Amino acid sequence: MSATSPPRTALAVIGGLWTVFFFLGMSPGYYTPALSNILGTRGLGSDWVAYAFLVGPVAALISPLIVGSIADNRFAAQKVFAVIGMASAVLLASAFAALERFESPYVFLGLFAAASVVAAPMWSMVASISMVHLRSGEREFPVVRLGGTLGWMAAGVLTSFVFLFEGSIKAGYAAAITRFIGAAFAFLLPNTPPVGNSRSLRTMLGLDAFRLLRERDHLVFFSVTALLSIPLAVFFMHTPMHLTALGNTAPSATMTIGQISEIAAMLLMSVVMSRFRVKTVLMFAVALSALRYGLFAISGSTGNAVWLVGGIALHGLCYTLYFITGQLFLDRRVDPSMRTQAQGLLTLVNNGIGSVVGTIFGKFLYDYAVLNGNGGWATYWWVQTALIAICLPVLWFFYHGVVAKPAEPVAELDK
């Protein structure tokens, strides 16, 4: 091993983190791509679909920073993760049970919202736990994060071809069971004690994380993330509906095609991060995202599902290059006592602010373009493409990056 190569993390630690990511990814993989069709089979139209997809983003506005602060300052992160995961699993099962009993849709939404509020910090927390224990984050984090991708893919295949859960409430039950197992497994992860010791109300509410926005590149990154997340919010909400409209009978399985490119991107992340600046990677990811939605628009114009599937195939590559790069970027440049809160702020901006706006706007645009026949799916996706394209000049002009010293290798640029 060379002097510059960091020691490898123990396989038991990598395996444990990978397993938790696998179950964490499998849980929403069961119900998220199928949710639109599940609600449709219960007689709930596009309004209720929008409400259901809005629940998660609103939840991400509430809990990630607070729970992240608790993990940074009060309790061991792996224990907090396990507790909130098991609690959210019970709430999720209760939500789908209410839907199965044909209770008021508001009962389903209330329980679904509660499950989402409790579960919202889970992705950012396990990412933060991983960064603490992995000796080489850039090389090893994409490997453990790959577990989440494979879990999502496995759920999609099981839903469509094994359990035949398309449009079935049982997909929700499978998601709840899977989440509970993954959360319980987190008790076996290495201890991750709090690094901070603040007890102020501001800290406990997670408001310290907003201090990160005082730094120019942080502000640009979080702003672009919020804007990019607006069109991203409708990917799982309306793409399966577009697939169904084009005659696809297994939309959940088809949506997993996007995870194939995500696997490739995860495996290449260590090479990408060592050879290219963060700014370059982020801009490439945004440009590729615009191309992806452009392919969706062409599918809407031609009625050819091949273009839509081609765009879906790019999803994992776009997501990984932007958001995994962003997580590594934050880990490099944020004080250790703020790591979990920084990842929580990313969740708030991505799954919260951007997704709330995106879901509301997407519902309005869908009704206008698709339901009311004003350009159909083509207009719908071209507008979303334009929103993504706006991110490119913002990154180009306003993101600076850290200037490396002359003696530093290129791999250390833009830390």
Side-chain angles (χ1 to χ4, degrees):
M1 185 178 294
S2 66
T4 58
S5 178
R8 294 184 180 274
T9 305
L11 287 178
V13 174
I14 291 179
L17 292 168
W18 189 96
T19 302
V20 171
F21 265 116
F22 179 85
F23 284 112
L24 187 60
M26 178 176 267
S27 177
Y30 274 118
Y31 71 84
T32 303
L35 187 56
S36 298
N37 292 329
I38 291 173
L39 295 176
T41 62
R42 312 312 280 183
L44 302 176
S46 63
D47 287 346
W48 289 104
V49 170
Y51 297 154
F53 275 92
L54 188 60
V55 161
V58 172
L61 294 173
I62 300 171
S63 56
L65 291 182
I66 296 175
V67 176
S69 176
I70 291 173
D72 279 339
N73 294 279
R74 298 297 295 271
F75 301 106
Q78 84 280 0
K79 294 180 180 178
V80 176
F81 176 90
V83 170
I84 65 175
M86 290 188 291
S88 69
V90 173
L91 290 167
L92 186 64
S94 301
F96 281 98
L99 192 62
E100 184 176 32
R101 292 192 299 265
F102 284 99
E103 294 183 8
S104 168
Y106 292 104
V107 176
F108 165 74
L109 281 181
L111 290 167
F112 193 53
S116 300
V117 168
V118 176
M122 292 182 70
W123 283 98
S124 59
M125 287 196 69
V126 72
S128 180
I129 293 170
S130 300
M131 299 296 186
V132 171
H133 296 288
L134 296 176
R135 296 183 177 182
S136 176
E138 291 181 9
R139 184 181 64 202
E140 295 171 336
F141 179 68
V143 174
V144 300
R145 177 59 180 77
L146 183 60
T149 303
L150 294 176
W152 185 290
M153 291 180 67
V157 173
L158 290 172
T159 296
S160 293
F161 300 124
V162 179
F163 299 143
L164 304 180
F165 283 168
E166 286 287 357
S168 171
I169 299 293
K170 293 178 181 178
Y173 292 145
I177 294 171
T178 301
R179 182 175 297 175
F180 192 94
I181 295 172
F185 195 90
F187 281 118
L188 302 178
L189 292 178
N191 187 41
T192 313
V195 177
N197 56 12
S198 175
R199 297 293 187 271
S200 71
L201 179 61
R202 176 185 176 86
T203 298
M204 290 299 101
L205 292 176
L207 300 179
D208 286 343
F210 289 100
R211 294 177 181 174
L212 297 173
L213 302 181
R214 296 175 181 174
E215 203 274 332
R216 181 191 182 104
D217 285 348
H218 290 160
L219 178 60
V220 173
F221 169 70
F222 283 116
S223 299
V224 169
T225 299
L227 184 58
L228 179 64
S229 299
I230 292 174
L232 183 62
V234 300
F235 177 68
F236 288 107
M237 184 168 74
H238 286 148
T239 309
M241 296 171 69
H242 193 180
L243 283 168
T244 301
L246 292 175
N248 188 291
T249 58
S252 293
T254 304
M255 293 292 286
T256 65
I257 294 174
Q259 275 64 54
I260 296 175
S261 64
E262 188 170 337
I263 293 173
M266 290 285 186
L267 296 176
L268 291 173
M269 277 303 295
S270 61
V271 176
V272 171
M273 293 298 290
S274 66
R275 297 193 177 186
F276 300 98
R277 298 179 67 229
V278 167
K279 180 177 182 177
T280 302
V281 178
L282 293 178
M283 289 196 63
F284 180 76
V286 171
L288 205 60
S289 296
L291 171 63
R292 172 166 64 107
Y293 275 51
L295 293 176
F296 288 179
I298 294 174
S299 178
S301 298
T302 62
N304 190 334
V306 172
W307 295 103
L308 185 60
V309 174
I312 292 171
L314 293 176
H315 169 72
L317 184 61
C318 299
Y319 182 89
T320 299
L321 290 178
Y322 189 88
F323 287 99
I324 302 303
T325 298
Q327 289 182 309
L328 292 170
F329 159 78
L330 291 176
D331 185 66
R332 290 171 172 179
R333 294 179 58 165
V334 172
D335 186 270
S337 65
M338 290 284 292
R339 275 177 175 161
T340 308
Q341 293 173 78
Q343 299 294 343
L345 182 60
L346 179 59
T347 299
L348 182 149
V349 170
N350 170 27
N351 295 335
I353 297 172
S355 293
V356 166
V357 175
T359 302
I360 295 173
F361 176 72
K363 169 63 170 59
F364 168 80
L365 185 60
Y366 174 81
D367 288 348
Y368 173 80
V370 181
L371 289 186
N372 294 326
N374 294 304
W377 285 108
T379 296
Y380 179 85
W381 291 119
W382 279 127
V383 172
Q384 303 286 10
T385 302
L387 289 175
I388 298 174
I390 295 172
C391 298
L392 284 170
V394 176
L395 273 174
W396 176 263
F397 288 109
F398 298 109
Y399 183 97
H400 286 173
V402 174
V403 180
K405 298 176 183 179
E408 290 179 332
V410 174
E412 298 299 316
L413 282 172
D414 215 358
K415 294 291 186 184

